[in-house]
Amino acid sequence: MYPTLLPDAIGLRVKLPEALDLAAKHGFEGCTIDIREATDLGVAEVADLATERGVRLAAWGFPVDFRSDEAHYASGMAALPELAMTAAKLGVLRTSTWIVPCSDVLTYRQNFDLHANRLRPAAEVLADYGIRLGLEYVGPKTLWSSQRYPFAHTMAEMEELCAAVGPNTGFLLDSFHWHTAHETVEDLRGLDPERVVEVHLNDAPDVPRDEQLDQVRTLPGATGVIDIATFLGALSEIGYDGPVGVEPFSPKLQQLTADQACAATAKSLQEVWARI
């Protein structure tokens, strides 16, 4: 596994060349990319940019809007093959998205069927290009219990959805959601490393797990509430070899310059990595 810059996750609004510059400057081995921007720039230019900076192109955000109406979904699906082709040519074979853990309208089973029916065709397109799809469960009780019908918000529930979507579908694992879902190191040790597509790190405020709010987090290691060393150590034990990025949703971080934000993020990542 290797440290990766997630520009959007730390509030950076920069184009791909600058993101790669920042990743290289601050010691990130990888960087996630906007696949639409990469497609517009062209495979050759993006590959050259990454090679010149010595940064791996780690993953890309899943571009299909599967949460809204059929028109938006159909539009995203129509564009997916070209974007997947760009990713495959660049060797970026991981893409991920998150799953909303509740609904006021759909029962659990109705929501499950909707997600499976919409994500399965997308996963099949990705599979044609050797690309894996990661799905992130969202763990805080304050969110999944906020609407009438809870939906998948644990590792076990997400495993069921991944199985329904396709064999190239696995997890985007996030330490905050692992913590708020009351999961353990044994849950991590039981995973097939090939089913772990991406990993996000963060820490949490010092409040009970069931009172945690989804987007109130900190840099990893900032509070010590989440046992990051155990989380990362278990992933290392099972042989996970993919990108590890930081997603802190930190207002303080977002007030910094891009350079300062990357420096703070890199420092936090280096410190928790050293504890494995």
Side-chain angles (χ1 to χ4, degrees), residues 3 22 44 101 125 202 209 246 255 258:
L22 288 165
V125 171
N202 32 57
R209 294 189 196 201
V246 175
Q255 293 171 5

Side-chain angles (χ1 to χ4, degrees), residues 204-220:
D206 189 12
V207 300
R209 294 189 196 201
D210 288 346
E211 296 176 20
Q212 297 283 353
L213 301 175
D214 181 42
Q215 295 199 9
V216 181
R217 313 180 195 176
T218 67
L219 287 168

Side-chain angles (χ1 to χ4, degrees), residues 16-167:
L16 180 55
E18 186 178 352
L20 293 172
D21 283 340
L22 288 165
K25 178 179 179 180
H26 294 284
F28 293 95
E29 293 180 28
C31 183
T32 60
I33 64 173
D34 180 333
I35 198 62
R36 292 188 181 91
E37 181 184 3
T39 300
D40 290 342
L41 286 172
V43 170
E45 181 172 349
V46 174
D48 287 346
L49 287 169
T51 299
E52 289 166 3
R53 291 154 179 78
V55 175
R56 299 170 66 172
L57 302 176
W60 43 287
F62 184 63
V64 178
D65 182 358
F66 59 94
R67 302 181 186 90
S68 61
D69 58 41
E70 278 294 331
H72 284 90
Y73 171 69
S75 175
M77 284 298 298
L80 185 59
E82 180 185 5
L83 300 177
M85 182 183 296
T86 296
K89 288 179 177 179
L90 288 168
V92 197
L93 304 181
R94 301 169 191 256
T95 182
S96 299
T97 188
W98 71 96
I99 303 299
V100 179
C102 53
S103 172
D104 270 333
V105 178
L106 301 175
T107 65
Y108 189 103
R109 185 47 53 181
Q110 289 170 334
N111 213 352
F112 186 98
D113 291 344
L114 175 66
H115 279 78
N117 291 336
R118 285 192 167 184
L119 289 171
R120 190 182 300 115
E124 290 171 353
V125 171
L126 297 174
D128 288 340
Y129 294 93
I131 297 167
R132 287 186 283 166
L133 172 63
L135 303 181
E136 180 182 38
Y137 62 92
V138 176
K141 183 179 180 180
T142 53
L143 183 54
W144 60 254
S145 66
S146 66
Q147 297 188 26
R148 184 177 180 184
Y149 302 111
F151 187 50
H153 56 272
T154 67
M155 194 182 296
E157 290 170 334
M158 192 55 65
E159 174 64 29
E160 183 185 9
L161 181 58
C162 289
V165 172

Side-chain angles (χ1 to χ4, degrees), residues 120-252:
R120 190 182 300 115
E124 290 171 353
V125 171
L126 297 174
D128 288 340
Y129 294 93
I131 297 167
R132 287 186 283 166
L133 172 63
L135 303 181
E136 180 182 38
Y137 62 92
V138 176
K141 183 179 180 180
T142 53
L143 183 54
W144 60 254
S145 66
S146 66
Q147 297 188 26
R148 184 177 180 184
Y149 302 111
F151 187 50
H153 56 272
T154 67
M155 194 182 296
E157 290 170 334
M158 192 55 65
E159 174 64 29
E160 183 185 9
L161 181 58
C162 289
V165 172
N168 62 322
T169 307
F171 295 97
L172 189 172
L173 286 180
D174 185 296
S175 59
F176 183 82
H177 299 313
W178 170 76
H179 173 75
T180 56
H182 294 266
E183 289 164 346
T184 69
V185 65
E186 295 308 320
D187 294 309
L188 297 170
R189 287 174 176 155
L191 291 171
D192 177 348
E194 290 301 311
R195 300 302 298 278
V196 183
V197 179
E198 286 189 69
V199 171
H200 289 174
L201 297 183
N202 32 57
D203 215 332
D206 189 12
V207 300
R209 294 189 196 201
D210 288 346
E211 296 176 20
Q212 297 283 353
L213 301 175
D214 181 42
Q215 295 199 9
V216 181
R217 313 180 195 176
T218 67
L219 287 168
T223 64
V225 169
I226 299 177
D227 188 350
I228 304 293
T230 294
F231 180 83
L232 271 182
L235 293 172
S236 178
E237 284 177 32
I238 67 171
Y240 172 67
D241 62 359
V244 178
V246 175
E247 187 181 50
F249 292 117
S250 169
K252 291 182 179 178

